[in-house]
Amino acid sequence: MTATKVKREVKPKHIGLVRKDKYLEPYEEAIRGRHDHAVWKRDQLTKQGKITLEDFASGHDYYGLHKTARGWVFREWAPNATDIYLVGDFNNWQEVEPYRAKRVKDTDNWELKLPERAMKHGDLYKMRVHWNGGEGERIPAWTRRVVQDEKSKIFSAQVWNPPVPYVWKKKTFRPDKNPLLIYECHIGMAQDKEAVGTYTEFREKILPRIVADGYNCIQIMAIQEHPYYGSFGYHVSSFFAPSSRFGTPEELKELIDAAHQQGIAVIMDIVHSHAVKNELEGLGNLAGDPNQYFYPGDRHEHPAWDSLCFDYGKDDVLHFLLSNCKYWIREFHFDGFRFDGVTSMLYYSHGLGEAFTNYGDYFNGHEDDNAICYLTLANLLIHELNKNAITIAEEVSGMPGLAAKFEDGGFGFDYRMAMNIPDYWIKTIKEQKDEDWKPSSIFWEVKNRRADEKTISYCESHDQALVGDKTIIFRLIDADMYWHFKKGDENEVAHRGIALHKMIRLVTASTINGGYLNFMGNEFGHPEWIDFPREGNGWSYKYARRQWNLVDNHELCYHWLGDFDREMLRVLKSEKAIQKTKIQELWHNDGDQILAYERGDLIFVFNFSPNRSFTDYGFLVAPGSYEVVLNTDSKDFGGNGLADDSVVHFTVFDPAYVEEHKEWLKLYIPARSAVVLKKN
């Protein structure tokens, strides 16, 4: 008889992150520690695998107000409470015994069961919470509907049980990520009118524009209810309630459903990095304990944002936040999330005043392991719910592994924002003369990312459009936009701005390794900043809108930029999964300010020189013929039209490069222009 050999599992010498980046070797113990922490917490929450994370993240099905076959049931987690009443339209806002909740035995949960006649759809209500030494009216933490009274400006929860539930027309949907082209948007300010727009208006008026422009994903800001409109949705009060400013939950569902029917994925800008300080509307002091949801002591408040910081070390807080992720996916069919403020979550310092110049800065003991664990679990949960889901981290410090696979020791995000790129463009436009722009620096910056992590590249987002900052078009043209943006009236400043606006977008979008993002209106050079109604501007909506009339008016220059953006996306999508193709540099010359590179069958050529055009400028490429598929200098896009784009370009044989299978492609490249060619 021969002995049977037992195969032993051999663990790899290094965890995946380290195998792919040897410079992380000194920090492998920390990386493994973070990974093991997440595994341990997952196992604890799932009872060693007896349930799933999806099962665990079901708090919204238990807490809050629910209609049942026997009537109504209300539950709240409130450890510090001594008494809780529901008060509202149904009992004249008085504390009465039938509406008094009871503490569930041996728990920190409160429960109230009521007959069906006790309340009705549309009734306003709140909790009146008592605790040792105080009491107050509060909006329940898990409520799904919050409305504001127009006269008093007071927020209340609202009983929401429509007689006819929404029926989804598109029951299943799979996002197109080849590549992911994101249109970042805000429902309220998406309208031309000086008022708050609605979900319905967005579906009817804006969604068709997005579809026509070629984007395949919308990223919606400010969905979670927030008391102050001017916070842009980043000071959240009610995490499970879609903002009622824009309409009803059913109207939000109808918008998402319509987007899916037209092939558009919908992701939500989710805010789990902090919460509004408000006590009457938010979680700040729900039941007399300001630390119920938030860190105590010095870590309680965010020093820069005037907000409160979640205690990610508490299982009940994890339950709340993970359930929140599941709720938006299951109830509203969101396709994923862009997580806001991830840098703030990662570090005790919130990343404030830190340089992050070497790997040691990410592993020196100032990281919040609880927050890292939460973000990792959130990604595991979201992809357990939907394997095709999209998760994006807004993170500026450059933390390694953020968008790496969980099994490699990463956080599990699908993408991270390439936040270096808009900073680079701002700095370049502000500080360098046009003749000093270096193609080598531009090329390096737009490709500056970790090889094992996918990114979302962008020139500018909503951040650059806010009052106090400037969009790219405004940095380039400034006040001349008001006087020289009519066709035939353009001055040299306007011509320069139009040309560079297109070139900046093309070099950024064509070098993606994941996806590309644009904030609504920036594609056509929206001329004004964003300023929400506030005391300082007389509560005006003048700058809290998008002037679509400008791009629709073909007597103005805006449509040139919008038309170019549409064609640029069409060309990028013509190369199958362009984000996965190799970016091969063909040539750069900083003296000439010329850059050329290829991706698949596409060749991109840029001349950043403000005053020098070149004839018969040559690059070595694969032999064959090439046709122009996009030219920033085309008259269709407000250019000079100096080149004949109908000409097919044939390569020129050179015996010196026979073994390399290369020939010369020679082009006329006008100053301050870019051209894209496709191999036939």
Side-chain angles (χ1 to χ4, degrees):
M1 294 178 65
T2 57
T4 303
K5 291 184 178 180
V6 178
K7 288 186 178 181
R8 292 184 179 180
E9 182 183 357
V10 179
K11 288 189 176 181
K13 181 180 178 182
H14 296 297
I15 199 165
L17 267 182
V18 179
R19 286 200 304 274
K20 295 173 182 178
D21 185 350
K22 66 179 182 179
Y23 293 105
L24 284 172
E25 280 190 24
Y27 314 104
E28 181 160 14
E29 186 178 347
I31 294 169
R32 285 189 183 275
R34 292 174 183 177
H35 179 78
D36 291 345
H37 182 195
V39 171
W40 168 79
K41 180 55 71 173
R42 179 194 62 187
D43 291 346
Q44 177 196 335
L45 299 180
T46 61
K47 301 176 181 177
Q48 306 302 316
K50 292 180 180 177
I51 62 172
T52 63
L53 268 180
E54 179 179 353
D55 295 328
F56 171 77
S58 299
H60 52 289
D61 293 328
Y62 178 80
Y63 294 109
L65 181 65
H66 299 276
K67 180 72 181 299
T68 70
R70 296 185 177 183
W72 301 91
V73 61
F74 170 80
R75 300 185 186 95
E76 188 76 17
W77 172 59
N80 202 51
T82 58
D83 232 337
I84 295 179
Y85 291 84
L86 284 193
V87 297
D89 293 339
F90 39 75
N91 60 14
N92 204 26
W93 297 88
Q94 300 298 311
E95 293 184 7
V96 292
E97 192 63 28
Y99 292 87
R100 183 183 187 184
K102 295 180 179 179
R103 185 185 285 269
V104 179
K105 187 178 180 181
D106 298 327
T107 74
D108 292 324
N109 299 325
W110 294 77
E111 182 179 80
L112 171 63
K113 293 182 178 179
L114 294 165
E116 185 174 351
R117 65 179 182 278
M119 57 181 66
K120 65 182 185 303
H121 174 66
D123 282 348
L124 302 181
Y125 72 99
K126 292 184 181 181
M127 298 188 299
R128 188 163 292 155
V129 186
H130 296 255
W131 58 85
N132 289 326
E135 63 176 83
E137 285 191 352
R138 298 288 187 265
I139 292 177
W142 300 76
T143 190
R144 301 186 181 194
R145 174 75 171 168
V146 174
V147 295
Q148 184 181 27
D149 182 80
E150 291 187 10
K151 293 182 180 179
S152 69
K153 303 302 180 184
I154 293 174
F155 287 85
S156 300
Q158 187 175 38
V159 177
W160 200 253
N161 185 51
V164 181
Y166 185 78
V167 178
W168 293 88
K169 299 177 180 67
K170 183 77 171 176
K171 300 189 188 310
T172 59
F173 177 78
R174 183 171 183 171
D176 177 11
K177 305 175 187 177
N178 290 312
L180 189 63
L181 302 170
I182 303 173
Y183 200 79
E184 184 187 30
C185 52
H186 182 286
I187 300 295
M189 59 166 290
Q191 308 305 316
D192 219 316
K193 63 182 181 181
E194 294 185 30
V196 179
T198 67
Y199 299 122
T200 298
E201 288 172 325
F202 190 96
R203 173 175 55 81
E204 293 175 347
K205 299 178 181 179
I206 311 306
L207 187 60
R209 292 180 181 271
I210 297 169
V211 173
D213 285 348
Y215 291 88
N216 56 25
C217 178
I218 56 176
Q219 177 183 305
I220 311 182
M221 308 171 64
I223 290 295
Q224 295 167 295
E225 191 60 86
H226 46 290
Y228 180 45
Y229 188 46
S231 76
F232 227 141
Y234 289 121
H235 277 194
V236 175
S237 52
S238 296
F239 286 78
F240 290 84
S243 182
S244 60
R245 287 182 182 85
F246 314 136
T248 68
E250 286 66 41
E251 287 166 343
L252 173 57
K253 291 176 182 179
E254 191 173 9
L255 163 59
I256 296 170
D257 204 1
H260 285 168
Q261 291 176 71
Q262 297 173 78
I264 306 293
V266 186
I267 60 176
M268 176 176 149
D269 200 345
I270 199 166
V271 183
H272 284 177
S273 47
H274 62 137
V276 73
K277 290 169 69 173
N278 301 34
E279 295 184 1
L280 295 181
E281 295 89 6
L283 306 175
N285 189 18
L286 195 72
D289 177 8
N291 302 323
Q292 180 178 335
Y293 283 92
F294 308 104
Y295 279 125
D298 293 342
R299 301 182 62 194
H300 186 68
E301 293 190 17
H302 195 293
W305 295 348
D306 192 34
S307 55
L308 302 177
C309 301
F310 282 109
D311 185 345
Y312 306 102
K314 286 184 177 179
D315 286 356
D316 288 293
V317 174
L318 291 179
H319 191 220
F320 181 80
L321 296 175
L322 290 172
S323 297
N324 195 234
C325 294
K326 178 180 174 180
Y327 167 74
W328 291 109
I329 288 176
R330 283 286 184 258
E331 184 69 20
F332 288 91
H333 293 200
F334 277 101
D335 299 295
F337 306 99
R338 179 262 202 186
F339 278 74
D340 176 69
V342 170
T343 305
S344 176
M345 299 170 70
L346 295 179
Y347 307 100
Y348 297 139
S349 66
H350 305 293
L352 301 173
E354 299 207 40
F356 300 103
T357 57
N358 60 74
Y359 275 167
D361 293 337
Y362 306 110
F363 305 99
N364 63 11
H366 71 329
E367 305 85 38
D368 186 344
D369 290 339
N370 293 330
I372 291 172
C373 180
Y374 165 66
L375 290 168
T376 307
L377 292 177
N379 277 291
L380 287 174
L381 167 68
I382 292 163
H383 292 100
E384 184 179 306
L385 292 164
N386 178 2
K387 66 179 181 180
N388 297 310
I390 299 163
T391 59
I392 304 170
E394 189 234 11
E395 205 282 312
V396 72
S397 77
M399 169 67 78
L402 202 66
K405 295 179 180 179
F406 171 69
E407 52 267 31
D408 285 341
F411 290 50
F413 282 99
D414 296 299
Y415 307 90
R416 65 189 307 156
M417 302 292 289
M419 300 183 76
N420 59 300
I421 297 177
D423 290 344
Y424 173 81
W425 286 124
I426 290 168
K427 185 177 177 63
T428 299
I429 295 169
K430 283 175 62 176
E431 300 179 5
Q432 292 189 21
K433 298 177 182 178
D434 290 6
E435 54 267 33
D436 294 333
W437 287 28
K438 290 183 170 55
S440 60
S441 298
I442 292 170
F443 196 48
W444 185 87
E445 196 68 47
V446 294
K447 298 191 295 104
N448 179 19
R449 57 211 173 206
R450 296 183 59 80
D452 59 341
E453 299 189 40
K454 292 183 291 186
T455 59
I456 301 297
S457 299
Y458 62 109
C459 313
E460 52 188 343
S461 67
H462 70 272
D463 287 329
Q464 288 74 40
L466 292 167
V467 163
D469 207 335
K470 286 185 178 180
T471 60
I472 283 176
I473 199 71
F474 237 103
R475 289 189 184 280
L476 293 170
I477 305 178
D478 214 277
D480 283 318
M481 289 198 74
Y482 295 117
W483 311 107
H484 297 286
F485 230 57
K486 185 176 181 179
K487 289 182 179 178
D489 260 355
E490 311 97 310
N491 60 7
E492 181 53 35
V493 174
H495 280 301
R496 169 184 178 264
I498 290 170
L500 288 177
H501 191 270
K502 293 176 289 186
M503 294 179 71
I504 287 169
R505 275 167 158 67
L506 180 60
V507 74
T508 302
S510 62
T511 49
I512 58 174
N513 77 333
Y516 174 73
L517 176 142
N518 167 71
F519 179 68
M520 63 177 184
N522 286 354
E523 72 279 6
F524 67 83
H526 197 281
E528 292 171 347
W529 52 83
I530 300 165
D531 191 12
F532 283 93
R534 55 186 173 86
E535 190 173 2
N537 65 16
W539 302 103
S540 170
Y541 286 88
K542 182 178 180 181
Y543 299 111
R545 61 186 179 123
R546 298 282 89 178
Q547 297 183 62
W548 305 105
N549 65 89
L550 297 175
V551 72
D552 291 342
N553 185 347
H554 281 218
E555 294 183 3
L556 304 177
C557 300
Y558 298 98
H559 86 88
W560 279 334
L561 300 179
D563 292 346
F564 173 78
D565 193 76
R566 184 184 308 113
E567 283 303 298
M568 178 183 75
L569 298 188
R570 182 191 63 77
V571 168
L572 295 181
K573 288 190 287 188
S574 72
E575 180 67 35
K576 186 177 180 182
I578 188 172
Q579 78 283 2
K580 296 180 181 178
T581 62
K582 184 178 181 181
I583 303 173
Q584 182 66 49
E585 181 178 354
L586 300 174
W587 178 257
H588 85 262
N589 185 304
D590 286 345
D592 295 341
Q593 293 183 275
I594 297 288
L595 171 67
Y597 53 90
E598 64 180 353
R599 300 197 79 169
D601 287 335
L602 297 178
I603 291 178
F604 301 84
V605 183
F606 295 81
N607 179 3
F608 286 98
S609 173
N611 49 31
R612 288 187 297 167
S613 299
F614 297 94
T615 303
D616 289 335
Y617 206 102
F619 316 98
L620 287 169
V621 299
S625 62
Y626 293 80
E627 61 178 325
V628 174
V629 291
L630 186 67
N631 192 338
T632 65
D633 195 47
S634 167
K635 288 186 177 181
D636 291 339
F637 310 130
N640 296 309
L642 297 177
D644 184 354
D645 292 338
S646 66
V647 172
V648 177
H649 298 270
F650 293 90
T651 56
V652 179
F653 175 75
D654 187 333
Y657 297 98
V658 170
E659 291 185 4
E660 296 180 31
H661 302 288
K662 298 290 184 181
E663 293 184 354
W664 291 99
L665 176 65
K666 296 193 174 184
L667 304 171
Y668 169 52
I669 319 171
R672 203 179 272 147
S673 74
V675 64
V676 186
L677 302 103
K678 190 177 183 72
K679 189 175 187 299
N680 289 319

